[in-house]
Amino acid sequence: MTVIAIESSAHTLGVGICDNGKILANSKQMCKISKGIIPGKTSDFHSKNITKVIKNALAQAEITKDTIDAVGYTKGPGIGPCLRVGQLAARDLANELNVPLFPVNHAIAHVEITKHLFKCEDPLVLYVSGGNSQILALDKQPYLHYRVYGETFDIGIGNMLDNFAREAKMKPAWGSTVDKIASGGKYIEMPYSVKGMDFTFAGLLTHATEMLNKHNLSDVSYSLQQTSFAMLCESVERALLLTERKALVLSGGVAQSLKLQEMLQKMLAPHNAKLFVAPNEFNADNGAMISLVAEKMFKAGLRFKMETCDIDQRYRIDKVRIAW
Ligand code: FE2
């Protein structure tokens, strides 16, 4: 069966196609942002480009529209006007082809694609992106769902790094620029805030930004990165022991950080636990991961009335019943 899906939750517009778990296409266009995402401007970009990105995906998959069995889209979480473009385009396509429509949780898609690529069944998950930072694992009670074991009390780690990079007048892509500038830096003490398996980043961001006036950029970047990643490592280690998992999936945009991967590997080694990280193409926002989950929903027998297929900017991962 062939499933096409649209991802439009933030500045990336992606269209993916999969066929029984095999990814046939993962086409994307990114709206350039210099001062953070401006919802109106980004959703305009998505509206202008959606037809082209769908066409590109179909060409990449070497299929025509009439072979599509289902359509998926990102329901949330994400930026309302951006999500709306994907939802409307997906609904129109499903109506035109007379096939079922599947609203997909963006966070679940980030997790499921890595599990799928590595055939990793029941891992602990660290999901780190712009707006989200969560420690997750499947839980059967009261029904099968991703339980949030720990999360940020304020901003996501990706937004924290991006905000810092903008304050420091770095150029996009901010996260990877911080990664580069941090190497070779020296450690300055920063506020470290972990509460059980939860953590906060806002105070750390304020402190690091103030430190820019007193210390060199490389030292502040290094210290910010070390501190925030160490907070994640401590929380994940606690969750690993609590849940008795032997595998950790690292997913989401910030999963691309080699420094974070290296620090997690070091933490996992004494526990004989393995780290699984998808190639960057699938950790950055993409349509392929949405199509994979839409296909799982289809095969599990879920069906949705068109009029109930809406968007939800704050669609939490732990709200979703896993049916596969
Ligand atoms: Fe994402």
Side-chain angles (χ1 to χ4, degrees):
M1 67 176 300
T2 311
V3 180
I4 189 167
I6 301 169
E7 154 59 31
S8 67
S9 63
H11 65 302
T12 301
L13 175 65
V15 177
I17 300 173
C18 73
D19 177 5
N20 287 309
K22 188 172 173 215
I23 294 160
L24 302 181
N26 192 25
S27 179
K28 57 174 98 169
Q29 291 259 305
M30 224 184 288
C31 179
K32 285 201 179 80
I33 47 171
S34 55
K35 291 177 185 154
I37 297 175
I38 300 165
K41 200 177 148 206
T42 312
S43 57
D44 275 356
F45 173 89
H46 291 351
S47 312
K48 280 180 194 141
N49 288 286
I50 185 69
T51 309
K52 187 172 76 187
V53 183
I54 290 174
K55 268 188 194 163
N56 290 348
L58 290 167
Q60 204 181 338
E62 298 180 339
I63 61 162
T64 52
K65 269 196 218 174
D66 52 322
T67 60
I68 290 168
D69 299 296
V71 179
Y73 72 95
T74 303
K75 174 175 174 174
I79 298 163
C82 301
L83 290 168
R84 185 66 79 195
V85 175
Q87 175 235 1
L88 291 176
R91 197 185 63 188
D92 284 352
L93 189 58
N95 270 326
E96 179 194 334
L97 302 173
N98 196 25
V99 296
L101 181 61
F102 293 92
V104 174
N105 179 287
H106 180 88
I108 287 184
H110 268 300
V111 176
E112 289 291 331
I113 192 157
T114 308
K115 284 171 64 177
H116 174 83
L117 290 171
F118 294 101
K119 297 190 172 32
C120 181
E121 288 281 302
D122 191 14
L124 184 70
V125 177
L126 176 60
Y127 168 48
V128 273
S129 65
N132 301 281
S133 301
Q134 292 176 320
I135 300 169
L136 311 157
L138 281 173
D139 188 353
K140 290 191 179 116
Q141 297 301 333
Y143 50 79
L144 191 64
H145 69 289
Y146 281 100
R147 177 172 161 189
V148 179
Y149 282 87
E151 65 185 319
T152 174
F153 280 145
D154 40 47
I155 53 176
I157 190 164
N159 284 347
M160 191 271 287
L161 293 168
D162 288 354
N163 278 326
F164 169 76
R166 281 199 295 274
E167 289 292 334
K169 310 268 183 298
M170 291 181 198
K171 289 188 178 150
W174 300 292
S176 54
T177 312
V178 174
D179 235 31
K180 277 181 212 133
I181 293 177
S183 72
K186 285 195 253 4
Y187 186 72
I188 315 159
E189 202 164 322
M190 295 260 166
Y192 182 97
S193 184
V194 170
K195 315 276 180 203
M197 287 173 281
D198 298 308
F199 29 83
T200 68
F201 294 121
L204 176 60
L205 170 62
T206 306
H207 184 85
T209 307
E210 283 166 4
M211 287 296 108
L212 284 170
N213 300 321
K214 298 175 192 156
H215 297 272
N216 82 52
L217 180 58
S218 177
D219 291 353
V220 181
S221 303
Y222 174 76
S223 308
L224 174 68
Q225 202 183 47
Q226 283 288 317
T227 307
S228 56
F229 290 176
M231 282 160 54
L232 292 176
C233 285
E234 181 187 334
S235 305
V236 170
E237 186 172 27
R238 203 163 281 138
L240 191 78
L241 295 172
L242 178 73
T243 60
E244 300 180 332
R245 299 301 205 278
K246 285 290 174 195
L248 176 70
V249 156
L250 173 62
S251 65
V254 184
Q256 297 170 82
S257 166
L258 295 176
K259 187 71 198 171
L260 178 58
Q261 293 178 23
E262 182 194 314
M263 287 173 71
L264 285 167
Q265 291 273 21
K266 277 188 191 157
M267 179 276 291
L268 292 169
H271 301 292
N272 294 319
K274 270 190 177 171
L275 179 68
F276 296 96
V277 191
N280 286 350
E281 176 190 3
F282 299 116
N283 270 323
D285 286 347
N286 66 91
M289 65 183 191
I290 308 296
S291 69
L292 271 179
V293 174
E295 187 178 55
K296 283 179 188 292
M297 292 164 85
F298 189 120
K299 287 187 172 175
L302 297 176
R303 294 296 180 270
F304 302 85
K305 287 187 178 146
M306 287 281 175
E307 61 272 24
T308 66
C309 290
D310 206 347
I311 58 166
D312 181 352
Q313 293 185 73
R314 300 188 184 277
Y315 191 24
R316 280 185 64 89
I317 192 168
D318 47 2
K319 265 189 175 177
V320 183
R321 185 187 287 253
I322 304 296
W324 54 88

